[in-house]
Amino acid sequence: MKQLRDLVSRARGGRLQRAEMADPTLTVTNLGDLGVESVFGAIYPPQVALVGFGRVREEPWARNGLLGARPAITATLAADHRVSDGLRGGRFLARIDELLQNPEEL
């Protein structure tokens, strides 16, 4: 635990050595192509996060006082709280939401 706390502290401070950053740390999975609506992932070290995307589905949506239907997906995040926190994860998911509002601009 002492070594892990040291590693996390240095990672948050941006002081990792190149050799410590060689392994991938984030996995993205899209099971929506198989009809899955949402993904509840389990992370496995050295992975620190998993982002899951479900299928595109039509949902009722209110905008500017009007109700209509629009395509929507569920994006989920499973993360190791020793490496990050819920605030950072929430900001990450909010940014994904912003980007997907105008997919033609990606």
Side-chain angles (χ1 to χ4, degrees), residues 6-101:
D6 174 60
L7 181 66
V8 169
S9 174
R10 288 186 294 111
R12 287 182 177 165
R15 299 182 314 272
L16 288 179
Q17 298 173 9
R18 180 174 288 266
E20 294 171 314
M21 295 187 286
D23 293 328
T25 59
L26 175 83
T27 299
V28 176
T29 185
N30 173 13
L31 297 179
D33 292 344
L34 301 174
V36 174
E37 283 197 20
S38 58
V39 178
F40 298 99
I43 55 176
Y44 185 78
Q47 183 183 49
V48 295
L50 184 137
V51 181
F53 292 95
R55 70 176 174 86
V56 178
R57 63 194 182 285
E58 198 167 80
E59 285 196 354
W61 206 269
R63 185 172 183 145
N64 298 326
L66 300 174
L67 184 62
R70 69 184 286 186
I73 65 165
T74 298
T76 59
L77 174 66
D80 187 337
H81 280 261
R82 295 173 296 181
V83 178
S84 188
D85 58 27
L87 177 61
R88 208 172 268 179
R91 287 178 179 160
F92 177 76
L93 289 174
R95 181 67 176 136
I96 289 174
D97 179 46
E98 287 175 24
L99 293 170
L100 291 178
Q101 295 308 311

